[in-house]
Amino acid sequence: MTGTRGLGARWRRRRPLRTRLALATSVAVAVVALGVCAAAFVIIRHQMTRQLDLSLAQTATQTAQRTHNWGPTAGDASCQFPATPCIQIVPADPAKDPRGGYRTLPVDAGTRAVADGRSPAYYRELTIAGRPVRMYTSRLPHRDEALQVALRSDTVERGVGQAARALSAVGAAGVLVAAGLGYWVSRTGLAPVARLTATAERIAATRDARHRIELPPGPPAREDEITRLAASFNTMLGELEQSVSAQRRLVADASHELRTPLTALRTNAELLARGDRLTEAQRDRASAALGRQLREVTTLVNDLIELARDEEPQPLVEQVRPAALLAHVVTTAREHWPEIAFTVSVAPGAAEVTRPGVPARLSRLLSNLLDNAAKFSPPGGPVEAALDAGPDALDLTVRDHGPGIAPGDLPHVFDRFYRAKAARALPGSGLGLAMARQIAHAHGAELTAEQAPGGGALFRLRMPTRRP
């Protein structure tokens, strides 16, 4: 049995899904069609036999009224079936049997039991003179005699045979129709799956995620499961295409940004290699430039590594107080930018609020916002950080009083390596704000930029404090 099941499982695995679905649909419809035909055959046979039984019972009733003064009577051997029924009266006492016995219908102990009232009336199938006969045996009222009435049943059998042949033809046609419907259902129902498979194979062969599956026209509410699967696959392909494009842009931008500092590093390293030809001041300048460029490259590589990470490591997540974190980051920024006046405003309701997060990553987010504001602020200009608590979120704003963000640059301030014209002369790689937004998204927060009223740039960080 295990070997048989194994062979069946291997056969199913080797067949295409379309073939298996067509076969399953055909078998299901065929079983239903054959079941209906079998039930119809049983009902037709039962009804025709019942009609014959009713005719026998009616004939017996009429005969009992007509032969109330008859005695035991043997059936006539020349009974003309099916024109006339064959009738026979049998007494309960064998001693009262007619002379010559019974030559047409059989008489046994069951017949005698019906005659004396010990058994109920019954029907019986017989063969007389090579012809099928159905006999009904009942007791004559107020007499210890049994009445036997027989009619030929070959008409019933002939009708049942005709019904069986007709139902067999209908069942065979139903099986053929079921096979056709199964093939049609599998072909039309699995068409999106076939297109999905072809698209996936094409993408695997060409490594091009721009391909899409064609969807049937119609409102989304009428889409079936296969169409929704195809739509989900198209959505996944869109996300994959964006991810691949983002990776390619990151690699291209990173190679472009690294080319300049690496060239400067090589130049300064070559100068130091010929240190015997340089003065002491020249060697010091080259050594300082080399150290500065190494720090820039190290910072750029670390930023790229941070940007390549999509999620925050779960083991490092803990409950963080944003107010305390903001105070710590502002203190560090004051040391790094002594010429900038940093101010902090924390609403009373926000001082003790906590939310889950990675402290080091959130500190990096706030540091990038403060560094960006300080970079564009004039010497001695203020940078204002404010933390406010709403019913279900914390709102952190960082504002500077610099030149602000041009309308054409506003949609791109969070793009990787993007630097506005006003910022190209300033230090930096254009990754700080991109990293800040990525950290915000990883913590379920939203970071936006806008023009501040009265001038300057305003960055707003909205951090939900309740789970949706």
Side-chain angles (χ1 to χ4, degrees), residues 182-346:
Y183 176 77
W184 179 79
V185 168
S186 65
R187 184 177 180 85
T188 57
L190 294 179
V193 177
R195 292 195 297 268
L196 188 151
T197 304
T199 303
E201 292 174 348
R202 191 182 307 115
I203 292 173
T206 62
R207 297 183 179 273
D208 186 358
R210 292 175 296 177
H211 298 287
R212 296 293 184 273
I213 301 174
E214 295 182 5
L215 300 178
R222 293 186 178 181
E223 293 180 353
D224 55 12
E225 290 79 1
I226 300 297
T227 305
R228 289 203 299 270
L229 174 62
S232 301
F233 191 76
N234 282 344
T235 303
M236 183 188 68
L237 288 177
E239 297 293 336
L240 179 61
E241 182 182 3
Q242 292 181 4
S243 177
V244 171
S245 299
Q247 289 181 358
R248 289 175 178 172
R249 288 196 305 270
L250 178 61
V251 172
D253 294 340
S255 61
H256 175 74
E257 292 293 330
L258 285 171
R259 187 178 295 113
T260 300
L262 288 178
T263 302
L265 280 173
R266 184 178 62 185
T267 301
N268 289 319
E270 291 174 351
L271 283 175
L272 289 176
R274 298 192 298 268
D276 54 343
R277 302 179 185 178
L278 302 177
T279 64
E280 188 69 24
Q282 290 174 335
R283 283 197 300 270
D284 291 341
R285 285 197 302 271
S287 177
L290 184 62
R292 183 175 63 256
Q293 290 155 2
L294 282 173
R295 287 192 298 271
E296 291 178 359
V297 171
T298 302
T299 302
L300 179 59
V301 171
N302 290 334
D303 289 345
L304 290 173
I305 293 173
E306 292 290 337
L307 283 172
R309 179 167 55 186
D310 292 333
E311 298 179 348
E312 303 300 338
Q314 290 299 320
L316 300 181
V317 176
E318 59 183 82
Q319 290 296 323
V320 180
R321 276 201 308 137
L325 201 63
L326 177 62
H328 171 72
V329 172
V330 168
T331 301
T332 305
R334 285 170 178 161
E335 297 175 356
H336 187 65
W337 303 89
E339 70 279 5
I340 301 298
F342 291 92
T343 61
V344 181
S345 173
V346 179

Side-chain angles (χ1 to χ4, degrees), residues 37-59:
C37 291
F41 173 77
V42 172
I43 292 173
I44 291 173
R45 183 176 182 180
H46 172 74
Q47 289 296 328
M48 296 184 72
T49 304
R50 183 170 176 271
Q51 289 295 329
L52 181 59
D53 292 345
L54 290 175
S55 179
L56 285 170
Q58 184 178 8
T59 302

Side-chain angles (χ1 to χ4, degrees), residues 153 171 182 434:
S153 60

Side-chain angles (χ1 to χ4, degrees), residues 419-441:
R419 304 184 72 185
K421 292 182 179 180
R424 292 173 185 173
L426 299 175
S429 60
L431 294 177
L433 292 179
M435 187 183 306
R437 170 167 278 189
Q438 179 171 304
I439 296 173
H441 284 177

